[in-house]
Amino acid sequence: MTIMDNLISLAMIDEEIKEIESSKGDLPLRIEKLENEKKDINGSKKTLNDQLKELSDKQNKLNRNKEDSDISLEKSKDQLYLVRNNREYDALNTEIDIAKENLFKISEELLAINEKKEEIEEQIKLNESNINECSEKLVKYNAQLKNVMSTDEKEYKKLISQKEKLID
């Protein structure tokens, strides 16, 4: 075979390869896009789970502080009946006011944390739904691609090997 015949054969083989690849359509791109989207959603889900853990840790710490403030408040209230002068009474009332203020602040923080946790849990559920949707589409597209490729697989491999022989 001459060089010209080789080039013509190579061009014909390339044309047939392009036809087989075009029969795949945009499925490979869709699959890649969905895999990237699924990966991004999983990353977002991990970040949300980390935030949820941090909020739970902070909530536990605040609950311990609330218990301590409750105990301190009760002790101060019990000591009110044991005071001997006005200065002690005023000091205990100040301690009681501070403990009540701390309890109020802690309660507000706990409420805000609970709201944020609920918001994050909703986002996690949405992410899980999106992941499931992506997974279903991936299965569908992979099956379609496999179906398309199964009919042309042998010819595609044959054309690739012929192309390599012509190039060598």
Side-chain angles (χ1 to χ4, degrees):
M1 264 188 1
T2 65
I3 294 176
M4 187 58 93
D5 290 337
N6 282 347
L7 289 175
I8 292 171
S9 296
L10 189 60
M12 290 172 60
I13 290 171
D14 278 342
E15 190 65 32
E16 289 180 43
I17 289 173
K18 284 181 185 176
E19 283 180 34
I20 292 173
E21 288 177 348
S22 71
S23 70
K24 295 178 192 176
D26 65 343
L27 286 175
L29 291 175
R30 285 183 184 181
I31 290 170
E32 182 181 351
K33 182 180 175 186
L34 280 172
E35 286 172 345
N36 288 337
E37 185 178 333
K38 186 176 174 183
K39 180 181 165 187
D40 292 343
I41 294 171
N42 275 324
S44 173
K45 182 180 169 189
K46 183 186 180 320
T47 302
L48 290 171
N49 280 326
D50 291 345
Q51 289 176 355
L52 195 60
K53 184 183 180 321
E54 288 176 17
L55 286 173
S56 291
D57 292 344
K58 187 174 181 180
Q59 185 179 33
N60 290 336
K61 181 179 176 185
L62 286 172
N63 280 329
R64 285 190 300 272
N65 287 346
K66 184 177 179 185
E67 288 174 12
D68 292 344
S69 291
D70 278 336
I71 291 170
S72 173
L73 180 63
E74 289 304 315
K75 285 182 180 178
S76 296
K77 283 182 178 179
D78 289 343
Q79 288 179 355
L80 272 178
Y81 301 108
L82 304 174
V83 294
R84 288 179 254 157
N85 58 42
N86 282 345
R87 196 172 14 174
E88 287 179 5
Y89 184 80
D90 290 341
L92 278 175
N93 270 333
T94 303
E95 284 182 35
I96 290 172
D97 290 342
I98 290 172
K100 285 180 180 179
E101 193 174 311
N102 283 339
L103 284 171
F104 180 75
K105 287 179 183 178
I106 290 171
S107 295
E108 284 185 338
E109 283 185 65
L110 285 170
L111 184 63
I113 287 174
N114 283 331
E115 289 173 0
K116 185 69 176 172
K117 282 176 69 173
E118 287 175 7
E119 186 180 306
I120 289 173
E121 288 168 350
E122 287 295 318
Q123 289 175 335
I124 288 172
K125 286 179 185 175
L126 180 64
N127 282 353
E128 288 172 349
S129 172
N130 289 340
I131 288 170
N132 290 336
E133 186 179 317
C134 284
S135 295
E136 290 171 6
K137 285 182 181 179
L138 277 171
V139 167
K140 176 183 163 188
Y141 291 158
N142 280 322
Q144 288 176 352
L145 184 61
K146 185 178 179 182
N147 187 27
V148 168
M149 287 305 296
S150 67
T151 57
D152 298 328
E153 185 76 30
K154 290 179 184 175
E155 186 174 341
Y156 184 77
K157 288 180 180 179
K158 180 180 143 189
L159 289 171
I160 294 291
S161 69
Q162 285 177 357
K163 181 179 177 180
E164 289 172 357
K165 286 179 186 175
L166 285 174
I167 291 174
D168 293 337

